[in-house]
Amino acid sequence: MLTKMHFARALACSVSLMAFTAGTAQADEAAPAPAPTTAPATTGLNDIIVTAERREVSLQDAPLSVSAISAEDLKAANITDITGLNGSVPGLVVARSGGGERIISIRGIGSETPENTNTQPGVSYHIDGVYIFNSIAASAAFIDVAQVEVLRGPQGTLFGQGSTGGTINVVSVDPTMDAVTGYANGGFGNYAYKEASAALNVPLTDTLAVRGAFQMTKHDGYAKATKVPGTDSYDLDDQDEYGWRLGAKWAPTANFSITLNAINFHSDTNGPAQKNILDPEDDPRILTQDYPGRSLVETELYTGTIRYEAPFATFKSITGYQKLHSIQAWDADGLDAATFSAITYNPDSGTYSNYDHVPLWQSDTESWSQEFNITSNGSGPLSWVAGGVYLHSDNEQYINEYRAADDNIIQPALPLTTPWDDPLAGNLAYAELSSIERDLWAVYAQATYDLTDKLALTAGVRYNHDKAQGMSDSVSGGSASQSSGAYLQPAYTGSRKTKAWTGKVALDYQITPENMVYASWTRGFKPGGINSAASAGSSGLALGLMDSVQPTYTKETVDSFEIGTKNRFANDTLQLNASGFLYLYKDMQFLEEDPVLYGEGISNAPKARVYGIELEAQWAPTEHFRVDASGSWLEGEFTEDYYALDPAAAAAAQNAAGYGDWLFWNNYYDASVVRDGARANINGNRIPKLPRWQGTLAATYTNKVGPGNLTARAQAIYRGKYQYRVFNDASTDLASSYTQVNTMVKYEPEDTNFSMMFRVINLFDTNGVNSRFSDPYGSAQVMETYIPPRQFILSFGYTF
């Protein structure tokens, strides 16, 4: 088991190695490149510095599709975590799934396997360059952030596995030796909204500085569950979270530095409002549910970055240690007992269910990572970067789900030592206990050579190696055969290895110093893995049924072809970037049902194609006025026959044949054949999480008004409709479009450090559907989650 001691030892080794090298350097060598920030331009628009390709470069000079959202823009739109980015970047969709998960997709490529926490997402998520393993951890708040960078498209060379769709990197504010600086903010609003944040940067010496930050957000629920026993209404979509960050930077010479960071986050709420589309209540914020949900998320992240700049190259070591503890509970049927029993009643078999609840879905992840890279210095025609990375994670998961026709509405989660003949286990619909270990390592290199003073060639390659193994057991109420002993008895799942070569080739041509075009080919991949439920022996393969969920699933790959252009016009007052792309996708991983009940798992769709156009623009005609705009048009479909089994279709066929609930196990073979017959060909179906149209438009005005400076901003976000799953079921999978308008006014009195800000988020109180998803387990119900309602927030700040 990994401990913080592993992190300390790894970091100590890195410090010793790099400090020895630094000892030979002269103090007057070039200083390291600054942390990503916004550098003032001489005219209208600023140059944004990003770490797009493991080095600090201007966004306009990076020959790839990348967006950067500043801390100021995050604040103006009240974006406190990754979900708030939904719709604000071309092609980016952040959708909620069951419990506390966030499904991040870029250009339709993300994760179609949210319920398996052992899989890697298609969009890799990083904090200060450290890969975050578990998608639930992505719900953590942004704490003391400088900017958020979104790289669109597969990152097959420098980021490797888990980056078939793209990469998001959250960049924290670095400690600095320049001066004592900091800020303090506080605010309040409707729904008993309260926010507080503060940061303090203190130079201890000329070579050592520390920075601490704290953040807290609380508000009442935006939605209510009306049938929870013992309450008049039960808050959902509430928020009660806090987090802190502590960092230190030591730079004994101009070319050597060590930066350490610790980030902790805690959230304990009643969970998201997941409204059943069959709910008899029309108000989307009122839910006819009878089970008290809960969402607890605790994360820890410890990072250490060592940087040494020699005359010919910069050496960097990035060490990370992270932990996640998550407890999720929710009303899986999304209704009260009377309503759910009415819709599940089967007159042929006489069976029905009063409830389907998940009292426990616990996830624990402990991970360690180490990366070394070396980046060339100098101004010659050749620039390059090379490195290696190792990642290890232990992923544990424990699930209980109850479904029955009795009146025991609120069932407790079972202790792991519970014998199967215990009365508490009588209504257990599904349970899983799994522990999966992953080891990943990769080596990579990428170089750019200036063929002429305007034309440059970039080529890169990466070798990826991934291994997964562990123990797992899953049981259901009708399939378990134990009569004594613990009801879950994990067995070795076997191991699965994935090896893959990925890479990139690109050409960029600098037409003028302000205008560039580029073309690229990139291959990305996501490793295969283990289906913990199927590994327990419930797969329909044993019955000779077609394409059943298998104990393991294969890697997925994507070949991306992209052309783009980046431009500045009109004396740097107009910026226009555009890109067009084509993806050829192979073996997309998605969550599929098995003919045998409770045999859900991950399968691979053979082929798919995605293509589209993206635009980003900034216009600053005067020093007082700026317009920001972005938009995307995206198309995509599956292009090869594959007969997939939708959980809802399988359940409907099973019930129609009279094999509902426990009757399945009395008619095991016939019922499985019936379920297998519900397969449908997904060839021609639209790729999930792929809005055809999406965009944002914002206007900002700044000027002196009275004894101070006024900033006013208005933003409109449009997110088009999209299919949530590969099945494209017209009645269940279509998430509708919405338009959201945000406004902000900020006033800063002259010759003071104070500011006042008034924000209205979702000005027209739009009930926008963030996501629509189907429960893949017992209930097969379809739920919708909504964006926050209209929020009025008044905040005050002090900066020094």
Side-chain angles (χ1 to χ4, degrees), residues 458-685:
T458 298
V461 66
R462 183 183 185 108
Y463 177 75
N464 307 270
H465 185 281
D466 175 88
K467 180 182 179 181
Q469 62 181 346
M471 301 185 70
S472 177
D473 187 21
S474 62
V475 297
S476 59
S479 65
S481 59
Q482 297 101 319
S483 60
S484 62
Y487 79 113
L488 285 172
Q489 301 173 17
Y492 181 58
T493 60
S495 65
R496 175 64 186 250
K497 293 182 179 180
T498 303
K499 303 175 183 179
W501 287 94
T502 56
K504 175 180 181 176
V505 177
L507 281 171
D508 64 271
Y509 184 74
Q510 201 73 38
I511 304 171
T512 73
E514 292 80 29
N515 306 94
M516 181 255 284
V517 294
Y518 67 88
S520 67
W521 164 84
T522 309
R523 169 165 291 182
F525 109 106
K526 186 163 67 172
I530 298 168
N531 277 317
S532 53
S535 300
S538 62
S539 173
L541 288 172
L543 303 177
L545 301 175
M546 59 176 284
D547 294 329
S548 303
V549 174
Q550 302 182 41
T552 61
Y553 52 93
T554 191
K555 66 183 178 184
E556 61 177 43
T557 59
V558 59
D559 287 300
S560 168
F561 303 88
E562 180 171 327
I563 58 173
T565 180
K566 296 190 173 185
N567 305 276
R568 284 278 181 89
F569 302 104
N571 196 28
D572 274 359
T573 61
L574 175 63
Q575 179 174 299
L576 181 61
N577 299 339
S579 60
F581 70 92
L582 168 67
Y583 289 173
L584 300 179
Y585 216 90
K586 183 178 180 182
D587 293 325
M588 177 187 286
Q589 297 167 8
F590 73 100
L591 196 66
E592 185 181 14
E593 184 73 352
D594 192 84
V596 175
L597 195 61
Y598 303 115
E600 299 90 352
I602 297 171
S603 296
N604 296 92
K607 289 184 180 180
R609 179 176 60 242
V610 186
Y611 54 94
I613 297 172
E614 298 169 339
L615 298 171
E616 290 184 288
Q618 287 186 331
W619 182 45
T622 73
E623 62 177 323
H624 303 298
F625 185 67
R626 192 186 82 183
V627 176
D628 298 89
S630 68
S632 59
W633 170 79
L634 305 172
E635 294 287 348
E637 65 179 8
F638 294 99
T639 57
E640 187 170 305
D641 289 347
Y642 184 88
Y643 288 83
L645 186 57
D646 179 351
Q654 174 189 338
N655 291 331
Y659 300 130
D661 292 340
W662 57 269
L663 292 176
F664 173 90
W665 303 104
N666 291 351
N667 303 272
Y668 182 79
Y669 179 77
D670 291 340
S672 297
V673 171
V674 167
R675 286 166 57 86
D676 192 60
R679 293 184 181 277
N681 192 356
I682 64 172
N683 191 356
N685 283 6

Side-chain angles (χ1 to χ4, degrees), residues 145-168:
V145 169
Q147 66 185 29
V148 178
E149 302 168 359
V150 182
L151 284 68
R152 305 191 297 277
Q155 308 298 315
T157 302
L158 302 178
F159 294 95
Q161 58 79 34
S163 294
T164 47
T167 292
I168 296 176

Side-chain angles (χ1 to χ4, degrees), residues 436-453:
I436 305 297
E437 179 181 286
R438 300 190 73 101
D439 286 281
L440 309 92
W441 62 266
V443 290
Y444 60 86
Q446 181 171 298
T448 299
Y449 184 75
D450 294 334
L451 300 173
T452 71
D453 59 349

Side-chain angles (χ1 to χ4, degrees), residues 275-282 288 333-336 339-340 342-344 731-732 772 779-784:
K275 187 177 178 70
N276 194 317
I277 62 173
L278 301 178
D279 194 319
E281 171 60 56
D282 291 334
T288 311
D333 59 67
L335 300 166
D336 66 337
T339 308
F340 188 55
I343 67 172
T344 57
S731 63
T732 61
R772 172 182 275 213
S779 72
Q781 299 300 298
V782 180
M783 315 284 191
E784 288 185 330

Side-chain angles (χ1 to χ4, degrees), residues 7-8 10-20 22 32 174-177 207-211 246-261 303-309 315-319:
F7 173 81
L11 185 58
C13 291
S14 298
V15 170
S16 300
L17 174 64
M18 302 293 271
F20 174 79
D174 250 358
T176 175
M177 278 70 76
T207 62
L208 177 64
V210 296
R211 183 180 181 91
L246 182 62
K249 185 172 186 177
W250 179 52
T253 66
N255 63 338
F256 177 72
S257 66
I258 299 174
T259 304
L260 305 178
N261 273 304
T303 66
T305 301
I306 305 168
R307 180 184 178 119
Y308 167 66
E309 187 167 347
F315 299 84
K316 184 181 287 189
S317 165
I318 305 173
T319 307

